[in-house]
Amino acid sequence: MMKSAITISLVPEARRGPFVFHANEGKADLFAYCKMAAEMGFDAVEIFPGSAQEIPVSELMACLSPLNLVVAAVGTGAGWVKQGLHLCDPDRTKREQACQFISDIIDVAGECGASAIIGSMQGRSSQAETHDTALTMLSDALGKLGERAASHGQVLLYEPLNRYETDLFNTQKQAATFLESQKLHSVRLLCDLFHMNIEEEDVAAALVSVGKHIGHVHWADSNRRAVGMGHTDPQPIVSALQSVGFKGFLSAEVFPLPTSNDAAKQTINSLQKYIQ
Ligand code: LER
Ligand code: MN
């Protein structure tokens, strides 16, 4: 059975970003949102920290365990949002810093029993390098970081983004073909329904076509609000995920609209309706 998750950002610079809860007041704030997520019926939280150091691993695990909550995944996008780092930077030093930033998050995510996500940190090809060079950089980084994730018994999640956020891979099929051709066996796809709504011909068919590569899903409506607040029909999507045997997390990476509470409640209602 698929599991439910909800996003919590710890990054003040991302306060306008697509996260349901924004815990900008430190650890107590994070733990309060975890408690709220458990009370609402979520199975897991997905955390977006400013850096690896911002995840208080042992205290977080002590908070989650009595709540029967787990960490679904940890985002790495703050390396881009706060420091302008990405994996295709033509400057080797900056690329290495991006890799290190992600590697540190893979380690803390691993300690929490979770995977790390590469979304915004993939970057895009710039005027300084060709598209092929950027893809080589991406492949090298996913190879190294995938091995790091595997050393924790985890996969690494790679997320195709829509055309306004990257020019590397915009569709699931392109990305899955790349993972196969580059033999990136420790990397799985993060299928974000918001990006897919923009880029895919048919969201459900795209999911079926990459079936075994799916590692995680961002459960969002067409307008990046909670599922049910836009015009996506979730039924064929859920049927597609069931047909390929996906048993991972459907995680709400959506705007806190009209309020965090409303987005969270709408999300858990949609998940209970479709996956239970
Ligand atoms: C990250 O999961 C994502 O979807 C990007 O659009 C950054 O917000
Ligand atoms: Mn996403």
Side-chain angles (χ1 to χ4, degrees):
M1 182 139 92
M2 291 176 263
K3 296 163 282 184
S4 60
I6 190 150
T7 46
I8 306 178
S9 165
L10 310 184
V11 179
E13 292 88 338
R15 66 188 170 280
R16 291 180 180 278
F19 305 102
V20 177
F21 293 129
H22 292 258
N24 295 331
E25 312 292 331
K27 283 190 280 191
D29 208 18
L30 166 62
F31 301 154
Y33 284 121
C34 290
K35 188 156 177 277
M36 208 183 284
E39 283 165 2
M40 286 181 160
F42 286 94
D43 299 314
V45 289
E46 178 181 318
I47 302 176
F48 185 76
S51 66
Q53 293 71 30
E54 281 187 19
I55 303 266
V57 178
S58 48
E59 285 170 273
L60 178 64
M61 298 323 275
C63 162
L64 296 184
S65 151
L67 296 173
N68 269 325
L69 215 58
V70 296
V71 180
V74 183
T76 62
W80 166 248
V81 172
K82 287 175 75 115
Q83 300 182 40
L85 297 173
H86 67 89
L87 294 174
C88 296
D89 197 307
D91 179 333
R92 174 192 275 269
T93 309
K94 298 266 305 277
R95 256 187 349 261
E96 285 171 358
Q97 284 169 2
C99 229
Q100 190 59 51
F101 183 91
I102 295 168
S103 185
D104 290 344
I105 291 186
I106 289 172
D107 289 346
V108 291
E111 287 176 52
C112 296
S115 296
I117 297 169
I118 297 186
S120 319
M121 283 296 273
Q122 67 192 273
R124 61 185 81 200
S125 57
S126 68
Q127 285 163 345
E129 91 255 345
T130 65
H131 195 251
D132 278 352
T133 310
L135 291 185
T136 303
M137 291 171 180
L138 179 68
S139 176
D140 287 350
L142 291 180
K144 276 189 222 134
L145 295 167
E147 277 176 33
R148 188 87 198 174
S151 76
H152 293 282
Q154 296 294 334
V155 293
L156 176 66
L157 298 169
Y158 169 72
E159 180 176 16
L161 303 175
N162 73 68
R163 67 192 68 185
Y164 307 105
E165 296 187 40
T166 189
D167 63 354
L168 300 180
F169 293 110
N170 305 125
T171 68
Q172 303 299 328
K173 188 71 190 169
Q174 290 168 337
T177 304
F178 180 71
L179 297 185
E180 282 177 12
S181 72
Q182 302 296 304
K183 301 190 171 37
L184 295 165
H185 301 305
S186 298
V187 184
R188 297 283 178 282
L189 296 175
L190 194 175
C191 305
D192 183 322
L193 301 179
F194 164 72
H195 297 303
M196 292 182 75
N197 173 64
I198 296 171
E199 297 295 345
E200 305 287 353
E201 231 176 274
D202 177 328
V203 174
L207 290 168
V208 171
S209 78
V210 297
K212 66 178 193 299
H213 293 283
I214 306 174
H216 194 76
V217 171
H218 277 159
W219 179 247
D221 215 314
S222 50
N223 49 6
R224 217 170 208 183
R225 291 177 61 172
V227 169
M229 293 181 168
H231 57 73
T232 293
D233 177 4
Q235 189 56 67
I237 293 172
V238 171
S239 301
L241 290 167
Q242 280 164 342
S243 78
V244 299
F246 177 66
K247 295 199 170 51
F249 292 98
L250 301 181
S251 182
E253 187 189 61
V254 300
F255 291 115
L257 294 172
T259 67
S260 292
N261 216 36
D262 292 321
K265 281 199 180 131
Q266 173 62 36
T267 293
I268 197 66
N269 288 345
S270 69
L271 287 168
Q272 282 167 351
K273 175 169 174 195
Y274 288 104
I275 68 173
Q276 279 160 14

